[in-house]
Tab-separated table of all heavy atoms in Angstrom:
chain	number	residue	atom	x	y	z
A	235	SER	N	6.653	25.760	29.179
A	235	SER	CA	5.208	25.743	29.391
A	235	SER	C	4.458	25.525	28.072
A	235	SER	O	3.501	24.753	28.013
A	235	SER	CB	4.769	27.057	30.030
A	235	SER	OG	3.360	27.103	30.149
A	236	VAL	N	4.917	26.197	27.022
A	236	VAL	CA	4.266	26.066	25.710
A	236	VAL	C	4.362	24.629	25.204
A	236	VAL	O	3.382	24.069	24.701
A	236	VAL	CB	4.905	27.038	24.695
A	236	VAL	CG1	4.393	26.759	23.288
A	236	VAL	CG2	4.597	28.477	25.085
A	237	ILE	N	5.537	24.023	25.343
A	237	ILE	CA	5.716	22.637	24.902
A	237	ILE	C	4.842	21.696	25.728
A	237	ILE	O	4.189	20.785	25.197
A	237	ILE	CB	7.201	22.219	25.023
A	237	ILE	CG1	8.066	23.049	24.063
A	237	ILE	CG2	7.361	20.728	24.733
A	237	ILE	CD1	7.742	22.864	22.605
A	238	LYS	N	4.803	21.930	27.026
A	238	LYS	CA	4.003	21.066	27.910
A	238	LYS	C	2.521	21.166	27.587
A	238	LYS	O	1.797	20.170	27.619
A	238	LYS	CB	4.254	21.447	29.364
A	238	LYS	CG	3.567	20.526	30.362
A	238	LYS	CD	3.917	20.903	31.789
A	238	LYS	CE	3.204	19.980	32.781
A	238	LYS	NZ	3.521	20.344	34.186
A	239	LEU	N	2.037	22.373	27.272
A	239	LEU	CA	0.621	22.562	26.955
A	239	LEU	C	0.192	21.706	25.766
A	239	LEU	O	-0.908	21.157	25.749
A	239	LEU	CB	0.339	24.034	26.644
A	239	LEU	CG	0.328	25.009	27.814
A	239	LEU	CD1	0.223	26.445	27.306
A	239	LEU	CD2	-0.820	24.704	28.766
A	240	GLY	N	1.080	21.605	24.756
A	240	GLY	CA	0.732	20.856	23.556
A	240	GLY	C	1.141	19.404	23.587
A	240	GLY	O	0.310	18.502	23.611
A	241	PHE	N	2.447	19.171	23.645
A	241	PHE	CA	2.958	17.804	23.558
A	241	PHE	C	2.726	17.006	24.834
A	241	PHE	O	2.845	15.786	24.824
A	241	PHE	CB	4.443	17.827	23.204
A	241	PHE	CG	4.717	18.234	21.787
A	241	PHE	CD1	4.892	19.565	21.456
A	241	PHE	CD2	4.774	17.294	20.773
A	241	PHE	CE1	5.120	19.953	20.143
A	241	PHE	CE2	5.013	17.666	19.462
A	241	PHE	CZ	5.180	19.003	19.145
A	242	GLY	N	2.387	17.681	25.932
A	242	GLY	CA	2.103	16.968	27.176
A	242	GLY	C	0.633	16.656	27.355
A	242	GLY	O	0.242	16.123	28.402
A	243	ASN	N	-0.174	16.944	26.350
A	243	ASN	CA	-1.611	16.708	26.468
A	243	ASN	C	-1.931	15.245	26.153
A	243	ASN	O	-1.525	14.727	25.107
A	243	ASN	CB	-2.366	17.625	25.499
A	243	ASN	CG	-3.845	17.700	25.807
A	243	ASN	OD1	-4.532	16.689	25.824
A	243	ASN	ND2	-4.330	18.901	26.058
A	244	PRO	N	-2.684	14.546	27.032
A	244	PRO	CA	-2.987	13.128	26.783
A	244	PRO	C	-3.849	12.882	25.554
A	244	PRO	O	-3.923	11.760	25.056
A	244	PRO	CB	-3.730	12.700	28.061
A	244	PRO	CG	-4.210	13.959	28.688
A	244	PRO	CD	-3.205	15.011	28.340
A	245	ILE	N	-4.493	13.929	25.052
A	245	ILE	CA	-5.302	13.774	23.846
A	245	ILE	C	-4.456	13.289	22.673
A	245	ILE	O	-4.943	12.592	21.774
A	245	ILE	CB	-5.977	15.124	23.491
A	245	ILE	CG1	-7.082	15.448	24.511
A	245	ILE	CG2	-6.552	15.105	22.090
A	245	ILE	CD1	-8.234	14.466	24.508
A	246	ILE	N	-3.170	13.616	22.680
A	246	ILE	CA	-2.295	13.260	21.559
A	246	ILE	C	-2.186	11.746	21.400
A	246	ILE	O	-2.218	11.221	20.284
A	246	ILE	CB	-0.896	13.881	21.754
A	246	ILE	CG1	-1.006	15.399	21.916
A	246	ILE	CG2	0.005	13.520	20.587
A	246	ILE	CD1	-1.780	16.095	20.832
A	247	VAL	N	-2.077	11.018	22.514
A	247	VAL	CA	-1.935	9.569	22.401
A	247	VAL	C	-3.236	8.938	21.890
A	247	VAL	O	-3.211	7.870	21.266
A	247	VAL	CB	-1.499	8.927	23.730
A	247	VAL	CG1	-0.145	9.454	24.154
A	247	VAL	CG2	-2.519	9.135	24.828
A	248	PHE	N	-4.365	9.584	22.162
A	248	PHE	CA	-5.636	9.106	21.598
A	248	PHE	C	-5.571	9.168	20.073
A	248	PHE	O	-5.947	8.221	19.375
A	248	PHE	CB	-6.784	9.963	22.130
A	248	PHE	CG	-8.139	9.585	21.585
A	248	PHE	CD1	-8.879	8.568	22.173
A	248	PHE	CD2	-8.683	10.246	20.503
A	248	PHE	CE1	-10.120	8.214	21.677
A	248	PHE	CE2	-9.923	9.914	20.001
A	248	PHE	CZ	-10.648	8.885	20.594
A	249	PHE	N	-5.087	10.276	19.563
A	249	PHE	CA	-4.989	10.468	18.125
A	249	PHE	C	-4.042	9.439	17.504
A	249	PHE	O	-4.341	8.853	16.455
A	249	PHE	CB	-4.500	11.893	17.850
A	249	PHE	CG	-4.631	12.326	16.421
A	249	PHE	CD1	-5.826	12.195	15.746
A	249	PHE	CD2	-3.559	12.875	15.745
A	249	PHE	CE1	-5.956	12.599	14.428
A	249	PHE	CE2	-3.661	13.281	14.430
A	249	PHE	CZ	-4.872	13.147	13.767
A	250	ILE	N	-2.904	9.201	18.162
A	250	ILE	CA	-1.942	8.211	17.652
A	250	ILE	C	-2.581	6.824	17.622
A	250	ILE	O	-2.465	6.086	16.637
A	250	ILE	CB	-0.663	8.202	18.519
A	250	ILE	CG1	0.095	9.516	18.360
A	250	ILE	CG2	0.229	7.021	18.156
A	250	ILE	CD1	1.268	9.670	19.305
A	251	GLY	N	-3.272	6.455	18.697
A	251	GLY	CA	-3.919	5.147	18.763
A	251	GLY	C	-4.966	4.959	17.687
A	251	GLY	O	-5.024	3.915	17.025
A	252	VAL	N	-5.795	5.983	17.485
A	252	VAL	CA	-6.850	5.903	16.470
A	252	VAL	C	-6.252	5.775	15.073
A	252	VAL	O	-6.740	5.001	14.240
A	252	VAL	CB	-7.768	7.139	16.561
A	252	VAL	CG1	-8.665	7.249	15.332
A	252	VAL	CG2	-8.632	7.067	17.819
A	253	LEU	N	-5.193	6.517	14.792
A	253	LEU	CA	-4.555	6.441	13.475
A	253	LEU	C	-3.953	5.061	13.219
A	253	LEU	O	-3.984	4.552	12.089
A	253	LEU	CB	-3.484	7.520	13.340
A	253	LEU	CG	-3.994	8.963	13.203
A	253	LEU	CD1	-2.835	9.937	13.172
A	253	LEU	CD2	-4.839	9.126	11.945
A	254	MET	N	-3.414	4.433	14.251
A	254	MET	CA	-2.850	3.092	14.082
A	254	MET	C	-3.959	2.059	13.869
A	254	MET	O	-3.816	1.143	13.048
A	254	MET	CB	-1.997	2.727	15.296
A	254	MET	CG	-0.674	3.464	15.344
A	254	MET	SD	0.422	2.881	16.648
A	254	MET	CE	1.870	3.885	16.335
A	255	LEU	N	-5.063	2.196	14.580
A	255	LEU	CA	-6.211	1.315	14.342
A	255	LEU	C	-6.738	1.508	12.924
A	255	LEU	O	-7.124	0.547	12.246
A	255	LEU	CB	-7.307	1.602	15.368
A	255	LEU	CG	-7.019	1.152	16.811
A	255	LEU	CD1	-8.030	1.772	17.766
A	255	LEU	CD2	-7.059	-0.366	16.916
A	256	SER	N	-6.764	2.749	12.474
A	256	SER	CA	-7.190	3.057	11.108
A	256	SER	C	-6.263	2.404	10.092
A	256	SER	O	-6.709	1.852	9.074
A	256	SER	CB	-7.214	4.577	10.912
A	256	SER	OG	-7.497	4.917	9.591
A	257	SER	N	-4.957	2.452	10.369
A	257	SER	CA	-3.979	1.822	9.481
A	257	SER	C	-4.237	0.323	9.372
A	257	SER	O	-4.195	-0.258	8.279
A	257	SER	CB	-2.564	2.071	10.007
A	257	SER	OG	-1.610	1.333	9.281
A	258	ALA	N	-4.530	-0.322	10.517
A	258	ALA	CA	-4.800	-1.766	10.512
A	258	ALA	C	-6.032	-2.085	9.685
A	258	ALA	O	-6.067	-3.056	8.922
A	258	ALA	CB	-4.984	-2.261	11.951
A	259	PHE	N	-7.054	-1.279	9.830
A	259	PHE	CA	-8.304	-1.498	9.092
A	259	PHE	C	-8.068	-1.411	7.588
A	259	PHE	O	-8.650	-2.162	6.798
A	259	PHE	CB	-9.334	-0.463	9.544
A	259	PHE	CG	-10.754	-0.901	9.400
A	259	PHE	CD1	-11.354	-1.683	10.375
A	259	PHE	CD2	-11.502	-0.544	8.297
A	259	PHE	CE1	-12.661	-2.094	10.257
A	259	PHE	CE2	-12.812	-0.945	8.161
A	259	PHE	CZ	-13.404	-1.728	9.141
A	260	THR	N	-7.211	-0.473	7.188
A	260	THR	CA	-6.929	-0.283	5.761
A	260	THR	C	-5.971	-1.346	5.236
A	260	THR	O	-6.196	-1.935	4.175
A	260	THR	CB	-6.316	1.117	5.532
A	260	THR	OG1	-7.172	2.104	6.112
A	260	THR	CG2	-6.147	1.397	4.050
A	261	ARG	N	-4.902	-1.614	5.960
A	261	ARG	CA	-3.867	-2.547	5.508
A	261	ARG	C	-4.392	-3.968	5.335
A	261	ARG	O	-3.985	-4.676	4.422
A	261	ARG	CB	-2.721	-2.560	6.519
A	261	ARG	CG	-1.873	-1.316	6.522
A	261	ARG	CD	-0.746	-1.415	5.547
A	261	ARG	NE	0.083	-0.211	5.544
A	261	ARG	CZ	1.123	-0.050	4.746
A	261	ARG	NH1	1.463	-0.988	3.887
A	261	ARG	NH2	1.826	1.060	4.774
A	262	THR	N	-5.280	-4.388	6.231
A	262	THR	CA	-5.772	-5.762	6.170
A	262	THR	C	-6.821	-5.969	5.077
A	262	THR	O	-7.160	-7.107	4.756
A	262	THR	CB	-6.393	-6.171	7.513
A	262	THR	OG1	-7.468	-5.273	7.836
A	262	THR	CG2	-5.364	-6.137	8.624
A	263	GLY	N	-7.339	-4.873	4.519
A	263	GLY	CA	-8.375	-4.991	3.489
A	263	GLY	C	-9.787	-5.089	4.038
A	263	GLY	O	-10.739	-5.269	3.272
A	264	LEU	N	-9.952	-4.963	5.353
A	264	LEU	CA	-11.289	-5.053	5.940
A	264	LEU	C	-12.215	-3.956	5.425
A	264	LEU	O	-13.403	-4.190	5.198
A	264	LEU	CB	-11.201	-4.966	7.464
A	264	LEU	CG	-10.940	-6.266	8.220
A	264	LEU	CD1	-10.768	-5.977	9.705
A	264	LEU	CD2	-12.074	-7.259	8.002
A	265	GLY	N	-11.672	-2.759	5.266
A	265	GLY	CA	-12.493	-1.651	4.790
A	265	GLY	C	-13.058	-1.923	3.410
A	265	GLY	O	-14.252	-1.723	3.158
A	266	ARG	N	-12.215	-2.409	2.515
A	266	ARG	CA	-12.667	-2.715	1.151
A	266	ARG	C	-13.684	-3.856	1.165
A	266	ARG	O	-14.712	-3.795	0.480
A	266	ARG	CB	-11.453	-3.097	0.287
A	266	ARG	CG	-11.822	-3.573	-1.102
A	266	ARG	CD	-10.578	-3.895	-1.914
A	266	ARG	NE	-10.923	-4.601	-3.132
A	266	ARG	CZ	-11.387	-4.021	-4.222
A	266	ARG	NH1	-11.571	-2.720	-4.253
A	266	ARG	NH2	-11.683	-4.728	-5.305
A	267	ARG	N	-13.438	-4.880	1.962
A	267	ARG	CA	-14.337	-6.029	2.028
A	267	ARG	C	-15.731	-5.605	2.523
A	267	ARG	O	-16.752	-5.976	1.951
A	267	ARG	CB	-13.737	-7.081	2.956
A	267	ARG	CG	-14.450	-8.433	2.916
A	267	ARG	CD	-13.894	-9.342	4.003
A	267	ARG	NE	-12.531	-9.765	3.772
A	267	ARG	CZ	-12.196	-10.859	3.090
A	267	ARG	NH1	-13.142	-11.628	2.558
A	267	ARG	NH2	-10.941	-11.204	2.951
A	268	LEU	N	-15.742	-4.796	3.596
A	268	LEU	CA	-17.014	-4.336	4.147
A	268	LEU	C	-17.745	-3.420	3.178
A	268	LEU	O	-18.970	-3.499	3.025
A	268	LEU	CB	-16.766	-3.603	5.476
A	268	LEU	CG	-17.996	-3.059	6.195
A	268	LEU	CD1	-18.961	-4.170	6.548
A	268	LEU	CD2	-17.591	-2.284	7.450
A	269	SER	N	-16.986	-2.553	2.503
A	269	SER	CA	-17.594	-1.637	1.535
A	269	SER	C	-18.286	-2.401	0.412
A	269	SER	O	-19.431	-2.101	0.043
A	269	SER	CB	-16.524	-0.698	0.959
A	269	SER	OG	-15.917	0.053	1.975
Side-chain angles (χ1 to χ4, degrees):
S235 175
V236 171
I237 295 298
K238 185 177 179 181
L239 286 172
F241 288 89
N243 195 302
I245 289 296
I246 303 307
V247 298
F248 178 85
F249 192 51
I250 293 173
V252 167
L253 288 176
M254 287 188 177
L255 289 167
S256 175
S257 172
F259 207 83
T260 307
R261 288 271 180 181
T262 58
L264 274 175
R266 174 178 168 80
R267 191 188 291 271
L268 180 60
S269 301

